[in-house]
Amino acid sequence: MKVINLGAADSIINRYMSQLRDSTYQQNRTLFRQNLTRIAHAMAYEISRHLSYTPHQVATPLGTSEVRLPEDRIVIGTVLRAGLAFHQGFLDVFDGADSAFVAAYREEDDGGELTIRLEYMAAPHLDGSTFLLVDPMLATGGSLELAYKAFLGAGCPEKLHICVVIASEEGVERLQRAFPGDNVTLWTAAIDPVLNNDAYIVPGLGDAGDLSFGPKIKQS
């Protein structure tokens, strides 16, 4: 698996990241969601440079012009609910893409052990596709790995791009073990060093789902 950290280079992504992390800016949910979408726009552009292209003729009012267009059949898969604003950014750029969704949540037992549970999945056929699995936070990597295994029920992609905003070092290492092939790329805008006792990324930004859409009650 290749790892590309877009935040390691100077770009406008770092401005969006500074606002996402800032607890004052986080009070504005609209701005928080917009920054997730903006990062997705920038990341999608970078991914577009790695697609397969062929020449096409386009008729203009005065003649014809040759342009190289991407041939990949793109599917964007998202883990609900935190991934929705991030997903929209990729869909803005890859406007002909299909979409896939999975619902996953973390559950803690009485002993403090965390497990990941899946409750819902909807996807088109994935065989031969270029699949973008997008989720803002890569903490332990458990939910993303489990989500991808669920999506495999709809077929096997030809290429996989895992797209996150912030990854933990632990999460990156887990995905490198889970996806050793060279047809998988992890894209991120930052890699943070540690997870806390609740498996949240530190310094991270908090709970991306709550910051995007408001707090949730815990189900008994």
Side-chain angles (χ1 to χ4, degrees), residues 178-202:
F179 301 100
D182 58 6
N183 65 333
V184 180
T185 304
L186 171 64
W187 299 82
T188 185
I191 298 178
D192 285 0
V194 296
L195 300 175
N196 66 14
N197 291 335
D198 295 318
Y200 281 95
I201 301 171
V202 179

Side-chain angles (χ1 to χ4, degrees), residues 16-124:
Y16 307 149
M17 286 296 298
S18 70
Q19 294 179 352
L20 279 177
R21 292 186 189 265
D22 190 303
S23 57
T24 299
Y25 280 102
Q26 287 180 353
Q27 297 176 33
N28 185 327
R29 289 181 196 161
T30 299
L31 179 60
F32 188 87
R33 293 192 301 269
Q34 286 177 344
N35 279 327
L36 289 177
T37 301
R38 288 167 174 166
I39 291 171
H41 289 164
M43 195 171 286
Y45 168 77
E46 294 295 333
I47 292 171
S48 75
R49 301 171 62 196
H50 296 261
L51 303 179
S52 300
Y53 287 78
T54 56
H56 290 260
Q57 297 293 321
V58 178
T60 80
L62 300 177
T64 60
S65 176
E66 184 176 287
V67 60
R68 292 178 59 80
L69 299 178
E71 293 298 305
D72 299 60
R73 183 175 69 85
I74 295 175
V75 180
I76 306 166
T78 299
V79 181
L80 299 173
R81 66 180 168 149
L84 289 174
F86 200 41
H87 179 103
Q88 184 60 52
F90 288 97
L91 199 57
D92 288 345
V93 176
F94 299 121
D95 54 357
D98 290 329
S99 292
F101 299 95
V102 66
Y105 66 95
R106 306 192 307 177
E107 185 174 75
E108 184 174 348
D109 63 22
D110 293 338
E113 291 294 322
L114 284 173
T115 57
I116 308 297
R117 299 193 181 276
L118 296 177
E119 287 194 337
Y120 169 85
M121 196 271 283

Side-chain angles (χ1 to χ4, degrees), residues 128-140:
S129 68
T130 295
F131 187 47
L132 277 57
L133 179 56
V134 309
D135 191 22
M137 309 301 286
L138 171 59
T140 66

Side-chain angles (χ1 to χ4, degrees), residues 1-3 137-145 162 164 166-179 184 186-188 190-196 199-202:
M1 183 183 78
K2 299 183 289 290
V3 179
M137 309 301 286
L138 171 59
T140 66
S143 60
L144 270 176
E145 185 179 353
I162 302 172
V164 304
I166 301 177
S168 73
E169 292 182 0
E170 179 180 326
V172 172
E173 291 170 0
R174 176 171 180 161
L175 293 191
Q176 286 175 320
R177 293 191 299 269
F179 301 100
V184 180
L186 171 64
W187 299 82
T188 185
I191 298 178
D192 285 0
V194 296
L195 300 175
N196 66 14
Y200 281 95
I201 301 171
V202 179

